[in-house]
Amino acid sequence: MKNEKVLLIDADSLLYYEMGASSLEQATQNIDDRINTMLKASGATKFAGFLTLDKCFRYNIDNSHVYDNTPYKQNRKGGPKPIIFYALKEYLKQEPYNFIGLKGLEADDAVGIYAQLAKDEGYNPMIASPDKDVLEQIPGEHYNYQKATIIKTSQKDAEKFLWKQVLIGDSTDGIPGIQGVGPKTADKLLELYETFEEYAAPQLAVSEYIKKYGLREGITRFAETFNLVYILRTEDEGTRIAALPHISTLLTSNVIQDDSSTDDLFGSEWT
C-alpha cells in the first residue's frame, strides 16, 4: 500500500526500562504494553524493531585523539547486566515481534538506515525511540516512547543538531568535542547559516577544530568526532558494515497478542 505508515522501533531502551522488573512475566507484559501504546499512537499498520547485538563499529574507529586512547563509551559506569536483560532481548527476537540486530550497527543506526529505505519503497516511516540523538539528528516523524509524544524534526534542524554535536561532542558517550566550545557558543556559530548547503557547516566545524588544535590534529579530531556522533542513515553507509535484509522481510503487521506466555519461551522458573 503506497504511503503506508510503518513504525521503526529503536528497542534498546525497552530492555533497560524493564530489566529491573520483579519477574520476567511482568517485564514482558510491560514491554507488550509499551509497544501496543507506540503502535496505537503512531497509527502504523506495520512495524519492525531493532536491537544492538554487541559492540558497534564505533569501537573500531581510531579515536586516539578524541579519547586519548580511552575506548568508546568508557565513561559509562555499571556492572554486568542482569540475566533478565538478555532474556528480554531474546523475547523481542521471537514471535510476534521478530526484532533483529545487525552485527556492527547500533539500533539507532538501524532505524536511521531503514527510515530512508522505507521512504525509498514508498512507505511513510515513523521512528520510535527515547534517544535524543535519534529524535533530533534523524529528520522525520518520531514517537518518543519515554514521554509519549510525537515530534517532527526538519531536515534543517537535524543538520543543525548534528553539527552542534560535532562542535561540542556528546557528554553521554564521553566525546569531548572542541575544548571551550559549549552549547551556547555552538548555537551562536551555527546561527550564521540559514541553510546547511554547500558544505558551509562542515567547513565551519573543520575551521574551528583547526583553530583550536592546529592543522593536522584539528582535522584528525574533527574526523574522529564526526564518525563517532553521526548516525548512519543510507543503504550505502549500512552495507559497508552489515548485510541489510530487505525491509519487506522485516515488517510485521500490527497484530499483537495480549495473552502471550513467557513460560513457553523460557520456562516457568523465570516467573
Side-chain angles (χ1 to χ4, degrees), residues 93-117:
K93 290 178 183 178
Q94 300 184 50
E95 293 285 351
Y97 298 119
N98 300 311
F99 287 5
I100 68 164
L102 299 169
K103 188 172 178 61
L105 296 178
E106 293 187 78
D108 50 6
D109 295 305
V111 294
I113 292 165
Y114 276 96
Q116 184 58 54
L117 290 176

mmCIF file of all heavy atoms in Angstrom, residues 93-117:
data_model
loop_
_atom_site.group_PDB
_atom_site.id
_atom_site.type_symbol
_atom_site.label_atom_id
_atom_site.label_comp_id
_atom_site.label_asym_id
_atom_site.label_seq_id
_atom_site.Cartn_x
_atom_site.Cartn_y
_atom_site.Cartn_z
ATOM 1 N N LYS A 93 13.113 -10.987 19.955
ATOM 2 C CA LYS A 93 13.528 -11.584 18.679
ATOM 3 C C LYS A 93 12.514 -12.607 18.170
ATOM 4 O O LYS A 93 12.575 -13.022 17.020
ATOM 5 C CB LYS A 93 14.884 -12.278 18.833
ATOM 6 C CG LYS A 93 16.066 -11.332 19.035
ATOM 7 C CD LYS A 93 17.339 -12.149 19.212
ATOM 8 C CE LYS A 93 18.540 -11.286 19.484
ATOM 9 N NZ LYS A 93 19.765 -12.101 19.705
ATOM 10 N N GLN A 94 11.592 -13.018 19.034
ATOM 11 C CA GLN A 94 10.653 -14.075 18.678
ATOM 12 C C GLN A 94 9.277 -13.507 18.325
ATOM 13 O O GLN A 94 9.039 -12.310 18.432
ATOM 14 C CB GLN A 94 10.553 -15.066 19.844
ATOM 15 C CG GLN A 94 11.916 -15.704 20.165
ATOM 16 C CD GLN A 94 11.823 -16.747 21.239
ATOM 17 O OE1 GLN A 94 10.985 -17.641 21.189
ATOM 18 N NE2 GLN A 94 12.684 -16.642 22.244
ATOM 19 N N GLU A 95 8.389 -14.400 17.864
ATOM 20 C CA GLU A 95 7.018 -14.007 17.555
ATOM 21 C C GLU A 95 6.357 -13.411 18.801
ATOM 22 O O GLU A 95 6.598 -13.879 19.898
ATOM 23 C CB GLU A 95 6.208 -15.237 17.101
ATOM 24 C CG GLU A 95 6.663 -15.818 15.780
ATOM 25 C CD GLU A 95 6.239 -14.988 14.579
ATOM 26 O OE1 GLU A 95 5.442 -14.040 14.769
ATOM 27 O OE2 GLU A 95 6.703 -15.274 13.482
ATOM 28 N N PRO A 96 5.527 -12.383 18.645
ATOM 29 C CA PRO A 96 5.068 -11.772 17.395
ATOM 30 C C PRO A 96 5.935 -10.606 16.914
ATOM 31 O O PRO A 96 5.608 -9.968 15.920
ATOM 32 C CB PRO A 96 3.688 -11.250 17.773
ATOM 33 C CG PRO A 96 3.874 -10.814 19.196
ATOM 34 C CD PRO A 96 4.809 -11.821 19.808
ATOM 35 N N TYR A 97 7.068 -10.346 17.600
ATOM 36 C CA TYR A 97 7.827 -9.134 17.287
ATOM 37 C C TYR A 97 8.876 -9.335 16.185
ATOM 38 O O TYR A 97 8.986 -8.535 15.274
ATOM 39 C CB TYR A 97 8.483 -8.586 18.560
ATOM 40 C CG TYR A 97 7.460 -8.201 19.604
ATOM 41 C CD1 TYR A 97 7.429 -8.820 20.851
ATOM 42 C CD2 TYR A 97 6.503 -7.228 19.320
ATOM 43 C CE1 TYR A 97 6.478 -8.463 21.793
ATOM 44 C CE2 TYR A 97 5.545 -6.868 20.258
ATOM 45 C CZ TYR A 97 5.536 -7.494 21.498
ATOM 46 O OH TYR A 97 4.590 -7.146 22.417
ATOM 47 N N ASN A 98 9.688 -10.372 16.323
ATOM 48 C CA ASN A 98 10.720 -10.662 15.313
ATOM 49 C C ASN A 98 11.709 -9.507 15.117
ATOM 50 O O ASN A 98 12.131 -9.200 14.006
ATOM 51 C CB ASN A 98 10.071 -11.004 13.958
ATOM 52 C CG ASN A 98 9.162 -12.212 14.054
ATOM 53 O OD1 ASN A 98 9.545 -13.242 14.601
ATOM 54 N ND2 ASN A 98 7.939 -12.080 13.561
ATOM 55 N N PHE A 99 12.069 -8.859 16.235
ATOM 56 C CA PHE A 99 13.050 -7.786 16.156
ATOM 57 C C PHE A 99 14.411 -8.383 15.797
ATOM 58 O O PHE A 99 14.704 -9.535 16.115
ATOM 59 C CB PHE A 99 13.151 -7.044 17.488
ATOM 60 C CG PHE A 99 11.977 -6.164 17.804
ATOM 61 C CD1 PHE A 99 10.863 -6.133 16.996
ATOM 62 C CD2 PHE A 99 11.991 -5.357 18.932
ATOM 63 C CE1 PHE A 99 9.769 -5.328 17.296
ATOM 64 C CE2 PHE A 99 10.916 -4.542 19.244
ATOM 65 C CZ PHE A 99 9.804 -4.518 18.425
ATOM 66 N N ILE A 100 15.248 -7.583 15.156
ATOM 67 C CA ILE A 100 16.546 -8.087 14.729
ATOM 68 C C ILE A 100 17.670 -7.148 15.197
ATOM 69 O O ILE A 100 17.441 -5.986 15.535
ATOM 70 C CB ILE A 100 16.646 -8.248 13.200
ATOM 71 C CG1 ILE A 100 16.634 -6.875 12.496
ATOM 72 C CG2 ILE A 100 15.539 -9.139 12.673
ATOM 73 C CD1 ILE A 100 17.099 -6.917 11.064
ATOM 74 N N GLY A 101 18.880 -7.689 15.206
ATOM 75 C CA GLY A 101 20.078 -6.900 15.402
ATOM 76 C C GLY A 101 20.954 -7.063 14.178
ATOM 77 O O GLY A 101 20.965 -8.125 13.547
ATOM 78 N N LEU A 102 21.669 -6.025 13.818
ATOM 79 C CA LEU A 102 22.565 -6.049 12.659
ATOM 80 C C LEU A 102 23.990 -5.917 13.165
ATOM 81 O O LEU A 102 24.351 -4.900 13.764
ATOM 82 C CB LEU A 102 22.224 -4.908 11.698
ATOM 83 C CG LEU A 102 20.805 -4.970 11.113
ATOM 84 C CD1 LEU A 102 20.461 -3.672 10.404
ATOM 85 C CD2 LEU A 102 20.663 -6.148 10.166
ATOM 86 N N LYS A 103 24.784 -6.943 12.961
ATOM 87 C CA LYS A 103 26.127 -7.002 13.522
ATOM 88 C C LYS A 103 26.957 -5.785 13.117
ATOM 89 O O LYS A 103 27.066 -5.458 11.944
ATOM 90 C CB LYS A 103 26.833 -8.284 13.070
ATOM 91 C CG LYS A 103 28.165 -8.527 13.762
ATOM 92 C CD LYS A 103 28.714 -9.896 13.413
ATOM 93 C CE LYS A 103 30.071 -10.124 14.073
ATOM 94 N NZ LYS A 103 30.006 -10.058 15.531
ATOM 95 N N GLY A 104 27.507 -5.112 14.108
ATOM 96 C CA GLY A 104 28.341 -3.948 13.866
ATOM 97 C C GLY A 104 27.602 -2.624 13.916
ATOM 98 O O GLY A 104 28.229 -1.561 13.942
ATOM 99 N N LEU A 105 26.257 -2.678 13.939
ATOM 100 C CA LEU A 105 25.456 -1.461 13.979
ATOM 101 C C LEU A 105 24.729 -1.336 15.316
ATOM 102 O O LEU A 105 24.300 -2.329 15.893
ATOM 103 C CB LEU A 105 24.419 -1.463 12.858
ATOM 104 C CG LEU A 105 24.929 -1.450 11.424
ATOM 105 C CD1 LEU A 105 23.759 -1.511 10.456
ATOM 106 C CD2 LEU A 105 25.775 -0.212 11.157
ATOM 107 N N GLU A 106 24.577 -0.110 15.779
ATOM 108 C CA GLU A 106 23.710 0.146 16.920
ATOM 109 C C GLU A 106 22.276 0.255 16.420
ATOM 110 O O GLU A 106 22.022 0.514 15.238
ATOM 111 C CB GLU A 106 24.126 1.434 17.631
ATOM 112 C CG GLU A 106 25.481 1.345 18.311
ATOM 113 C CD GLU A 106 25.810 2.559 19.148
ATOM 114 O OE1 GLU A 106 25.278 2.668 20.265
ATOM 115 O OE2 GLU A 106 26.616 3.389 18.690
ATOM 116 N N ALA A 107 21.333 0.085 17.336
ATOM 117 C CA ALA A 107 19.923 0.146 16.950
ATOM 118 C C ALA A 107 19.566 1.506 16.363
ATOM 119 O O ALA A 107 18.729 1.598 15.457
ATOM 120 C CB ALA A 107 19.034 -0.156 18.152
ATOM 121 N N ASP A 108 20.196 2.583 16.855
ATOM 122 C CA ASP A 108 19.862 3.897 16.302
ATOM 123 C C ASP A 108 20.341 4.043 14.855
ATOM 124 O O ASP A 108 19.697 4.704 14.038
ATOM 125 C CB ASP A 108 20.364 5.041 17.186
ATOM 126 C CG ASP A 108 21.817 4.916 17.584
ATOM 127 O OD1 ASP A 108 22.494 4.002 17.099
ATOM 128 O OD2 ASP A 108 22.282 5.737 18.399
ATOM 129 N N ASP A 109 21.473 3.390 14.516
ATOM 130 C CA ASP A 109 21.886 3.375 13.110
ATOM 131 C C ASP A 109 20.863 2.618 12.262
ATOM 132 O O ASP A 109 20.523 3.035 11.149
ATOM 133 C CB ASP A 109 23.248 2.692 12.948
ATOM 134 C CG ASP A 109 24.375 3.446 13.624
ATOM 135 O OD1 ASP A 109 24.550 4.638 13.333
ATOM 136 O OD2 ASP A 109 25.083 2.838 14.444
ATOM 137 N N ALA A 110 20.383 1.497 12.789
ATOM 138 C CA ALA A 110 19.438 0.664 12.034
ATOM 139 C C ALA A 110 18.151 1.425 11.721
ATOM 140 O O ALA A 110 17.661 1.386 10.588
ATOM 141 C CB ALA A 110 19.131 -0.618 12.804
ATOM 142 N N VAL A 111 17.598 2.134 12.723
ATOM 143 C CA VAL A 111 16.354 2.869 12.444
ATOM 144 C C VAL A 111 16.613 4.024 11.485
ATOM 145 O O VAL A 111 15.757 4.350 10.644
ATOM 146 C CB VAL A 111 15.661 3.372 13.737
ATOM 147 C CG1 VAL A 111 15.163 2.210 14.564
ATOM 148 C CG2 VAL A 111 16.557 4.297 14.547
ATOM 149 N N GLY A 112 17.798 4.629 11.566
ATOM 150 C CA GLY A 112 18.129 5.698 10.633
ATOM 151 C C GLY A 112 18.213 5.190 9.207
ATOM 152 O O GLY A 112 17.680 5.808 8.273
ATOM 153 N N ILE A 113 18.878 4.057 9.020
ATOM 154 C CA ILE A 113 19.026 3.466 7.682
ATOM 155 C C ILE A 113 17.679 3.009 7.133
ATOM 156 O O ILE A 113 17.320 3.299 5.987
ATOM 157 C CB ILE A 113 20.010 2.286 7.736
ATOM 158 C CG1 ILE A 113 21.431 2.790 8.024
ATOM 159 C CG2 ILE A 113 19.980 1.491 6.433
ATOM 160 C CD1 ILE A 113 22.395 1.699 8.438
ATOM 161 N N TYR A 114 16.914 2.299 7.965
ATOM 162 C CA TYR A 114 15.653 1.748 7.464
ATOM 163 C C TYR A 114 14.562 2.805 7.303
ATOM 164 O O TYR A 114 13.609 2.599 6.534
ATOM 165 C CB TYR A 114 15.197 0.581 8.341
ATOM 166 C CG TYR A 114 15.857 -0.710 7.918
ATOM 167 C CD1 TYR A 114 17.004 -1.169 8.561
ATOM 168 C CD2 TYR A 114 15.384 -1.440 6.838
ATOM 169 C CE1 TYR A 114 17.643 -2.334 8.151
ATOM 170 C CE2 TYR A 114 16.011 -2.600 6.417
ATOM 171 C CZ TYR A 114 17.140 -3.041 7.074
ATOM 172 O OH TYR A 114 17.768 -4.186 6.647
ATOM 173 N N ALA A 115 14.701 3.935 7.972
ATOM 174 C CA ALA A 115 13.761 5.030 7.709
ATOM 175 C C ALA A 115 13.908 5.496 6.270
ATOM 176 O O ALA A 115 12.919 5.734 5.565
ATOM 177 C CB ALA A 115 14.004 6.182 8.682
ATOM 178 N N GLN A 116 15.148 5.609 5.803
ATOM 179 C CA GLN A 116 15.372 6.016 4.418
ATOM 180 C C GLN A 116 14.964 4.906 3.450
ATOM 181 O O GLN A 116 14.349 5.170 2.411
ATOM 182 C CB GLN A 116 16.837 6.387 4.206
ATOM 183 C CG GLN A 116 17.134 6.925 2.811
ATOM 184 C CD GLN A 116 16.308 8.150 2.476
ATOM 185 O OE1 GLN A 116 16.310 9.128 3.215
ATOM 186 N NE2 GLN A 116 15.569 8.093 1.372
ATOM 187 N N LEU A 117 15.294 3.657 3.776
ATOM 188 C CA LEU A 117 14.906 2.545 2.907
ATOM 189 C C LEU A 117 13.385 2.433 2.807
ATOM 190 O O LEU A 117 12.848 2.116 1.743
ATOM 191 C CB LEU A 117 15.497 1.236 3.441
ATOM 192 C CG LEU A 117 17.017 1.088 3.318
ATOM 193 C CD1 LEU A 117 17.478 -0.208 3.978
ATOM 194 C CD2 LEU A 117 17.454 1.121 1.860
#
